[in-house]
Amino acid sequence: MSNALGAAGELAIRSLIERAPLASSLAQSFKAKGFTLALVGGPVRDALLGRLGNDLDFTTNALPQETKKILNEWAENVWDTGIAFGTVAGKRGETTVEVTTYRTEHYDVDSRKPSVEYGKDINGDLSRRDFTVNSMALELTTDKPEFIDPFNGLKDLAEKTLRTPGLPNDSFNDDPLRMMRAARFASQLDFEIEPAVLASIKELAHRISIISAERVRDEFTKILMSNNPRKGITLLVDTGLADLVLPEIPKLRLEVDEHHHHKDVYEHSITVLEQAIEHEDRLGGPNLVIRLAALLHDIGKPKTRAFIEGGGVSFHHHEVVGARLAKKRLSELRFDGDTVEAVELLTTLHLRFHGYGDGEWTDSAVRRYVRDAGDLLTHLHVLTRADCTTRNKTKAARLASVYDSLEARIEVLMEQEELSKIRPDLDGEQVMQLLKLKPSRDVGAAMDFLMELRLEQGQIGEEKATEALLNWWKDRSAK
């Protein structure tokens, strides 16, 4: 180790003092017990980039049980769920720390779970990490903080390059999830992947199959929620990883003829995603549901593609097929039920606006649009607007204008009828009293009739609703 701190170390220290003052306090606690402590990995990288957060990773020569004793004195809360792998975590104030004993790892070829051996020095610990930009450390228990960079991570950070500390095949064979992490860092940090690393990912993409769905989901989500999801998604597709973890996306690269006259559905979907992101302020900021829906809304097209005689292509009912595919894929990736249902519904509804021509919306159609979207109405507004990717400025302006008028209609009816709370004019108890029924399918059918009446005619009041219900029941009973 060099005793010279250097400009990089000074920058990292300055960022650490400003953004994570508790790190020095923790280091003193370890030093007092005769142990080393170094900030390591992503937090060092982020400190150098000026984006350090409140989650800090450290490495130490203290064994896990000794680390736990120190954290029990220093932290307000401590948890040791990772102690079998050498990691103990704690939280003090707004700062969360994970402290891991120096270690080396050995992986079984068919498992991502390593067998852990504790190491003797920090260089061995840094050699096992995923990328050189995450293989830097800041030793905090020496007389002066010491910047440690055995694999030239600082140079790669400056050049915005992702490279592995050792041979990329060894790294990805050990932990195939690192291949998706490469795509994630490319998206989050706008980095390029070194050609040898990229070639290794293409060669070993099949290894991703040993990774759990939950871990794949988490990395994919981080890519999707980054500032530049196009970059990471394209890397997943180009390397073959997407064929295994999200096969519906590469299938969107449809070619209808050698002249590529038909719109590239993949490119369209990425553009819709980017345009949806531009409107996310309507949803309060970055939103996972709208990003998933934007990316997946057309995944039903490959299964529904039909060529039209004389040229052209159709995708009838692709929204229905796409909704089913989205539900299946997101469920397999272990997304939570609410997210799956929301994306399924938005995919089903994403063409609804285009079914009404140039603004010929009846009040009934507006009510149904609002009723069917439910709590996802604003999401549907964002998705529908983002789904216009035409380069024809006149057509784009016309579609935007028509949708402006639809939103205005919704606002007017919202004020007049409280559309977000659409209910029949009679409730279930009233229906059972009027028709002398007990809870049954007949009551459900009656409520469906009243809801249709409400959607078609708006609020008509209990008297007219009762009259209509009795006439409906009389006709139904006569059949």
Side-chain angles (χ1 to χ4, degrees), residues 116-417:
V116 176
E117 294 180 8
Y118 298 126
K120 300 297 184 183
D121 64 71
I122 194 169
N123 284 321
D125 184 271
L126 295 176
S127 70
R128 69 176 180 80
R129 295 178 180 269
D130 52 6
F131 303 104
T132 59
V133 295
N134 296 329
S135 298
M136 299 178 285
L138 199 60
E139 176 58 62
L140 301 174
T141 48
T142 47
D143 291 338
K144 288 185 178 181
E146 184 177 339
F147 184 62
I148 305 167
D149 183 17
F151 302 103
N152 295 315
L154 184 62
K155 178 176 179 291
D156 290 337
L157 190 66
E159 295 176 354
K160 305 184 78 171
T161 298
L162 286 174
R163 186 169 57 85
T164 55
L167 295 175
N169 274 28
D170 291 344
S171 181
F172 298 143
N173 267 315
D174 280 350
D175 184 357
L177 190 65
R178 290 171 175 171
M179 296 185 288
M180 288 194 70
R181 285 168 62 84
R184 189 242 292 186
F185 287 129
S187 272
Q188 288 180 329
L189 303 174
D190 194 25
F191 278 24
E192 299 301 322
I193 300 177
E194 183 194 47
V197 173
L198 194 62
S200 178
I201 295 174
K202 292 178 180 179
E203 178 184 343
L204 298 176
H206 65 279
R207 293 275 294 147
I208 200 69
S209 60
I210 73 168
I211 301 298
S212 71
E214 291 83 358
R215 299 301 298 275
V216 168
R217 174 203 64 207
D218 290 346
E219 288 300 326
F220 171 60
T221 297
K222 290 173 183 176
I223 292 170
L224 196 60
M225 297 303 289
S226 70
N227 291 331
N228 185 12
R230 172 189 287 271
K231 192 165 193 174
I233 293 168
T234 300
L235 279 166
L236 294 181
V237 172
D238 288 346
T239 58
L241 285 168
D243 290 329
L244 297 161
V245 300
L246 203 66
E248 293 79 9
I249 300 305
K251 288 178 181 176
L252 294 176
R253 284 182 164 173
L254 303 175
E255 292 185 10
V256 175
D257 57 47
E258 68 274 17
H259 303 294
H260 306 283
H261 286 163
H262 184 71
K263 183 188 297 182
D264 181 338
V265 184
Y266 171 80
E267 177 61 30
H268 165 73
S269 298
I270 298 293
T271 301
V272 172
L273 169 60
E274 292 174 331
Q275 293 185 168
I277 290 171
E278 292 176 3
H279 292 283
E280 278 182 320
D281 57 311
R282 296 188 64 175
L283 300 170
N287 187 280
L288 177 60
V289 166
I290 196 60
R291 294 193 186 199
L292 284 169
L295 179 64
L296 301 178
H297 75 285
D298 272 348
I299 61 172
K301 282 191 170 180
K303 280 186 174 291
T304 58
R305 179 171 57 164
F307 296 103
I308 300 171
E309 188 176 348
V313 65
S314 68
F315 304 99
H316 293 309
H317 305 303
H318 77 268
E319 73 281 11
V320 177
V321 174
R324 185 172 66 249
L325 291 174
K327 180 180 181 179
K328 181 176 184 291
R329 177 56 52 199
L330 296 181
S331 296
E332 289 179 354
L333 287 173
R334 304 292 192 270
F335 280 91
D336 65 273
D338 289 343
T339 297
V340 174
E341 289 179 12
V343 175
E344 180 187 14
L345 179 61
L346 290 170
T347 304
T348 301
L349 296 178
H350 83 271
L351 286 182
R352 181 71 65 86
F353 165 70
H354 299 284
Y356 286 91
D358 292 338
E360 299 167 3
W361 287 69
T362 63
D363 285 351
S364 172
V366 174
R367 293 187 194 104
R368 292 176 189 278
Y369 194 77
V370 173
R371 189 273 308 268
D372 291 347
D375 294 338
L376 295 170
L377 181 61
T378 304
H379 287 75
L380 186 56
H381 289 334
V382 170
L383 178 60
T384 303
R385 289 183 180 277
D387 197 23
C388 175
T389 61
T390 178
R391 296 179 183 178
N392 184 320
K393 293 183 179 180
T394 301
K395 181 180 179 181
R398 178 177 59 78
L399 287 171
S401 176
V402 172
Y403 206 84
D404 286 342
S405 68
L406 172 60
E407 287 206 54
R409 291 277 302 283
I410 289 172
E411 287 299 318
V412 170
L413 281 178
M414 279 283 196
E415 292 180 9
Q416 293 175 349
E417 302 183 15

Side-chain angles (χ1 to χ4, degrees), residues 50-156:
R51 59 197 293 272
L52 185 65
N54 291 327
D55 294 332
L56 304 179
D57 296 331
F58 297 91
T59 189
T60 180
N61 62 354
L63 292 174
Q65 290 297 339
E66 293 164 331
T67 294
K68 186 177 179 181
K69 290 177 184 177
I70 295 171
L71 284 181
N72 277 330
E73 295 178 1
W74 179 86
E76 295 161 357
N77 297 291
V78 175
W79 52 99
D80 61 1
T81 51
I83 198 167
F85 299 103
T87 299
V88 184
K91 186 170 185 179
R92 179 169 165 178
E94 297 300 314
T95 301
T96 299
V97 301
E98 284 193 357
V99 184
T100 302
T101 302
Y102 298 156
R103 67 189 188 188
T104 58
E105 297 167 346
H106 302 283
Y107 290 81
D108 182 272
V109 69
D110 295 319
S111 173
R112 186 182 176 270
K113 294 182 179 179
S115 58
V116 176
E117 294 180 8
Y118 298 126
K120 300 297 184 183
D121 64 71
I122 194 169
N123 284 321
D125 184 271
L126 295 176
S127 70
R128 69 176 180 80
R129 295 178 180 269
D130 52 6
F131 303 104
T132 59
V133 295
N134 296 329
S135 298
M136 299 178 285
L138 199 60
E139 176 58 62
L140 301 174
T141 48
T142 47
D143 291 338
K144 288 185 178 181
E146 184 177 339
F147 184 62
I148 305 167
D149 183 17
F151 302 103
N152 295 315
L154 184 62
K155 178 176 179 291
D156 290 337

